[in-house]
Amino acid sequence: METEVPAAVDPVRAEQAASVAEQAEPAEKKVASTRKRAASATKKTAAAEKKAAAVEQEPAGEKASVEKEAVAAEEKGTTEKKTAATRKKTATGKKPATEKAAATAGKKKAPTSKKKAPAAKEPVPAAEEAAPVVEETVSVVEEASPVNEMSNLPRRSIAFIGSECHPFVKTGGLGDVMYALPRELARLNCDVRVILPRYACIPQEYQDKMVYRGEFYMDLGKTGREYYVGIMEYINDGVVYDFIDNQEFFSIGKPYTNLVDDIPKYCFFSKAALAALNFMDWIPDIIHCHDWQAGLVPVYLRTLFQNSPVGRAKSVITIHNLRFQGVYNIPTIQYWSGLPKEVFEMGALKQNWVDANMLKGGLAYADRITTVSGTYAWEIQTSEYGEGLENHLRYHSGKLRGIVNGIDYGMWNPETDPALAANYGLGNVLDHKMENKLALQKELGLEEDTGKFVIGLISRLTNQKGLDLVNAIMTQVLDGNTQVVVLGTGDKEYEDAFRYYEHTYKGTFSACIQYDESRAHRIYAGADVLLVPSRFEPCGLTQLNAMHYGTIPIVRETGGLKDTVEPYNEFTGDGNGFTFDRYDAGLLLDAINRAKTLYFNNRYHWDEVVQRDMAKDVSWEQSARQYKNLYLELTPW
């Protein structure tokens, strides 16, 4: 595999760095001693300089031997790569998907594309690669700590398969996770690829940067047809993004439409993603798929692709929101997936005797199941939160884990955020946060007064987010000392209600019925608190963003909200937010009033909580390490 080359090179670098450091020290001592005796004994100085010259020449001989070792290691790696490639070519699968990929890719490619593909795969002779490897040893000595730290970490290759990823296409938290987690894993010495559909809605600036990797044709289900599968590649920040191209399925301007269209689309995508890995000869240790759109990947992996090269990979599936499962009648999913009859039996895909559930199948066949917080992992095994799969999840609870999400500090950083009126950090948040409050009030037409208590709400406007509770208490919240800012789109019921409040309470209530990323940043910076009263919340990212910007969250104790927000204790001063437990409008109002009381009556303790929130580590680093430990648990070699 590709990981063998760095493994062979690192010992050479370490050995040479140790040799240079070991011999440099006596050389420096000898030069220093000759300088001390220079005034009294010129001959001794000359002798010492001669010895120093001899010492400096010694590494040159060792350098030649290191070059030979590097060449030998490189040739060995090249030989092993060829051996692995030969083994792969002899492997055969049960179904013609991968066989047809190999057979028809060469037969049906355009003449111009034939020239492009070999250029990317053409091996470089080992002798030509050896020289640059040895030249890098100078920088290895200077930057030994980060290189050694990285090389000492176990290396695994992971393929992420999902339906959306920032900045290409994003409708919710899944897009953030698919962007941030692979980047953090790449920093932890993982080889990462992200496989996505090539939707027509992907911005042209990214479409233009994609590079053609190849194409093949693949059968799909019982359609009796072969479908084009193109692979377009884009590389950024150490992560390779491979886009599955097929205009028949992905020409619509948005990723999700309705189940009638989405079922065929994601049956095709799940199978094409695995076939593409075989086609590219890039076989990962772990295949990490996300939500129901990639739910059939573990099922395909253990059935139609079991005897193909990719069949030896382990699989992980992450539940980001259990409410959406990809449920449709059995004949339709059988027709489009082509999966064997046995997978539609009870316990795998079959549900309610007549339906097939794509997410349920993925949960049954995956080696591990994760969800985005520890509390949500427990909640989904209950009838209240299980969405009909609680018994299935309890049965598979031995492989279920909860790992809370993080946020990307590159995107969310008040010290460097270009959207803010004034940048600030932990050390000066108390000085500059009020500037952002005044700027936000001016931008939205609110009364400009730093003494007002500003509540932010950034959310999809749906029942899941607890907006019926917000609607029920809004007239009590707007007491003359409080302002409310809402940003988001969703159900017409809530859009209209918030527009009504804006019209009725001009200068006090602002309803931004839109998706505006930069305005969201300014609300996080300018508000005093952020409201997240969700009915259920697998993880939640808005409360993490708010804390990092020094805005105190008011949340319901559910899912990731409970895991990330500790309730403020007025007696001890501990905690980093305000919480309520039962889903009740009166309890939400009580939590808001407790926050107001602290804000207006004890600003010193309020400021302590603000600084405590900003100091809290809510980055992806810890979460990524937990995911990597899970991968190592699955691949203990």
Side-chain angles (χ1 to χ4, degrees):
M1 290 181 63
E2 295 176 359
T3 56
E4 292 175 2
V5 176
V9 172
D10 282 345
V12 176
R13 292 178 177 172
E15 183 180 349
Q16 186 177 8
S19 173
V20 172
E22 186 180 342
Q23 294 166 6
E25 186 178 355
E28 290 174 2
K29 286 182 180 178
K30 289 178 182 178
V31 172
S33 63
T34 55
R35 285 174 179 168
K36 287 181 180 179
R37 296 193 296 261
S40 60
T42 308
K43 291 182 180 180
K44 290 182 180 179
T45 304
E49 289 174 354
K50 192 174 182 180
K51 288 181 181 179
V55 171
E56 289 175 357
Q57 289 173 358
E58 287 178 10
E62 288 190 14
K63 185 173 182 180
S65 66
V66 169
E67 288 178 352
K68 290 178 181 178
E69 291 173 11
V71 171
E74 197 67 28
E75 289 174 348
K76 182 181 177 184
T78 306
T79 304
E80 290 174 356
K81 264 188 178 180
K82 290 179 179 177
T83 305
T86 304
R87 287 175 184 161
K88 178 181 179 303
K89 288 177 181 177
T90 58
T92 57
K94 277 186 178 180
K95 280 282 181 179
T98 54
E99 294 174 5
K100 288 180 181 178
T104 61
K107 182 174 66 176
K108 301 190 181 183
K109 283 182 190 173
T112 55
S113 64
K114 281 184 180 179
K115 295 179 182 178
K116 291 181 183 177
K121 296 184 179 180
E122 186 173 341
V124 180
E128 293 180 10
E129 290 186 7
V133 169
V134 177
E135 285 175 9
E136 288 180 1
T137 56
V138 176
S139 62
V140 169
V141 176
E142 295 173 359
E143 301 175 353
S145 296
V147 173
N148 289 341
E149 182 184 358
M150 185 63 69
S151 62
N152 288 337
L153 292 172
R155 186 167 178 81
R156 293 292 184 270
S157 55
I158 305 103
F160 278 73
I161 301 178
S163 58
E164 60 183 80
C165 176
H166 173 85
F168 313 109
V169 58
K170 172 188 166 183
T171 65
L174 170 60
D176 290 320
V177 174
M178 289 280 288
Y179 167 75
L181 179 54
R183 282 159 47 97
E184 195 62 42
L185 287 168
R187 295 189 185 102
L188 295 177
N189 199 32
C190 290
D191 192 6
V192 187
R193 281 179 186 258
V194 178
I195 302 180
L196 302 160
R198 189 190 181 191
Y199 302 111
C201 63
I202 295 174
Q204 194 61 40
E205 62 177 299
Y206 300 112
Q207 300 268 15
D208 293 340
K209 294 176 184 176
M210 295 179 188
V211 177
Y212 173 82
R213 275 296 306 271
E215 64 184 59
F216 58 91
Y217 284 77
M218 176 188 78
D219 64 339
L220 183 66
K222 300 177 181 178
T223 62
R225 288 179 51 196
E226 289 191 338
Y227 291 80
Y228 168 85
V229 180
I231 305 171
M232 302 296 292
E233 193 165 277
Y234 173 72
I235 302 175
N236 188 38
D237 282 348
V239 179
V240 178
Y241 299 90
D242 286 315
F243 295 86
I244 302 299
D245 185 27
N246 182 291
Q247 292 300 304
E248 187 172 345
F249 289 110
F250 303 131
S251 60
I252 298 174
K254 52 185 178 179
Y256 315 123
T257 51
N258 55 73
L259 276 177
V260 173
D261 295 322
D262 288 348
I263 292 293
K265 179 194 305 181
Y266 292 112
C267 285
F268 167 82
F269 172 64
S270 296
K271 187 175 184 182
L274 294 176
L277 289 172
N278 277 335
F279 176 81
M280 292 186 291
D281 194 16
W282 193 86
I283 308 303
D285 300 313
I286 303 288
I287 294 176
H288 192 159
C289 42
H290 300 261
D291 275 351
W292 77 266
Q293 292 88 353
L296 290 186
V297 171
V299 187
Y300 277 127
L301 196 64
R302 297 290 168 255
T303 54
L304 304 188
F305 287 83
Q306 185 174 13
N307 295 323
S308 75
V310 78
R312 61 177 179 262
K314 299 290 185 180
S315 63
V316 176
I317 187 167
T318 294
I319 304 168
H320 295 270
N321 192 334
L322 191 59
R323 173 162 287 187
F324 307 103
Q325 301 175 10
V327 180
Y328 212 70
N329 64 70
I330 290 176
T332 298
I333 295 182
Q334 273 185 324
Y335 176 82
W336 284 108
S337 69
L339 288 166
K341 183 179 179 181
E342 58 267 22
V343 307
F344 293 93
E345 297 302 319
M346 189 64 71
L349 270 80
K350 193 174 184 181
Q351 180 171 304
N352 301 329
W353 305 106
V354 294
D355 291 329
N357 185 323
M358 293 168 68
L359 177 62
K360 185 183 177 187
L363 300 177
Y365 278 84
D367 296 296
R368 289 291 184 275
I369 304 167
T370 71
T371 191
V372 288
S373 70
T375 297
Y376 192 62
W378 172 82
E379 287 177 340
I380 59 178
Q381 298 180 59
T382 68
S383 57
E384 183 178 359
Y385 297 97
E387 302 288 349
L389 289 182
E390 59 271 13
N391 294 331
H392 189 65
L393 286 161
R394 282 200 297 269
Y395 180 81
H396 292 286
S397 61
K399 59 183 183 181
L400 174 62
R401 309 287 170 83
I403 301 175
V404 73
N405 286 340
I407 61 172
D408 180 8
Y409 279 10
M411 291 176 58
W412 301 98
N413 186 353
E415 293 187 275
T416 58
D417 195 332
L420 305 191
N423 293 113
Y424 59 91
L426 177 59
N428 60 358
V429 58
L430 304 181
D431 299 325
H432 296 301
K433 193 161 171 55
M434 288 303 174
E435 295 177 45
N436 286 284
K437 178 189 280 193
L438 287 171
L440 180 67
Q441 290 170 331
K442 183 177 182 179
E443 176 185 349
L444 300 178
L446 301 175
E447 182 184 349
E448 295 176 40
D449 183 354
T450 58
K452 298 291 186 183
F453 185 74
V454 178
I455 299 174
L457 195 159
I458 302 171
S459 173
R460 285 183 293 109
L461 305 183
T462 65
N463 263 331
Q464 176 201 332
K465 299 300 182 179
L467 299 184
D468 53 333
L469 303 186
V470 175
N471 199 16
I473 64 169
M474 187 51 64
T475 55
Q476 296 166 273
V477 170
L478 299 173
D479 56 6
N481 295 315
T482 306
Q483 297 175 338
V484 176
V485 177
V486 174
L487 175 67
T489 61
D491 297 346
K492 189 175 185 299
E493 170 191 358
Y494 297 117
E495 290 185 354
D496 291 344
F498 293 139
R499 287 191 181 104
Y500 166 80
Y501 290 127
E502 181 180 54
H503 178 75
T504 306
Y505 298 93
K506 288 183 179 178
T508 299
F509 192 103
S510 174
C512 308
I513 309 303
Q514 60 185 154
Y515 175 78
D516 189 328
E517 187 82 21
S518 62
R519 180 166 286 177
H521 287 236
R522 292 191 290 275
I523 294 174
Y524 285 126
D528 295 300
V529 298
L530 188 85
L531 216 54
V532 196
S534 302
R535 183 183 298 272
F536 67 94
E537 194 65 65
C539 176
L541 295 176
T542 56
Q543 82 278 10
L544 302 180
N545 292 331
M547 288 190 285
H548 195 49
Y549 278 64
T551 298
I552 298 176
I554 299 176
V555 307
R556 179 169 175 254
E557 295 174 4
T558 181
L561 301 176
K562 183 175 182 179
D563 290 348
T564 56
V565 180
E566 180 186 351
Y568 176 75
N569 187 318
E570 61 179 311
F571 302 106
T572 64
D574 296 331
N576 63 345
F578 295 87
T579 71
F580 64 104
D581 51 7
R582 287 184 292 107
Y583 191 75
D584 179 85
L587 294 179
L588 170 58
L589 181 61
D590 177 65
I592 294 173
N593 287 337
R594 280 186 277 120
K596 284 183 182 180
T597 300
L598 185 66
Y599 180 83
F600 287 114
N601 295 341
N602 196 334
R603 187 62 66 85
Y604 176 81
H605 285 298
W606 178 272
D607 290 342
E608 278 188 330
V609 180
V610 167
Q611 292 171 312
R612 188 179 303 143
D613 276 345
M614 289 198 71
K616 182 180 174 69
D617 183 4
V618 292
S619 70
W620 265 106
E621 183 178 354
Q622 295 302 319
S623 304
R625 289 185 183 275
Q626 292 182 60
Y627 275 111
K628 182 161 185 181
N629 289 338
L630 179 66
Y631 302 150
L632 295 175
E633 177 187 312
L634 282 172
T635 55
W637 52 72

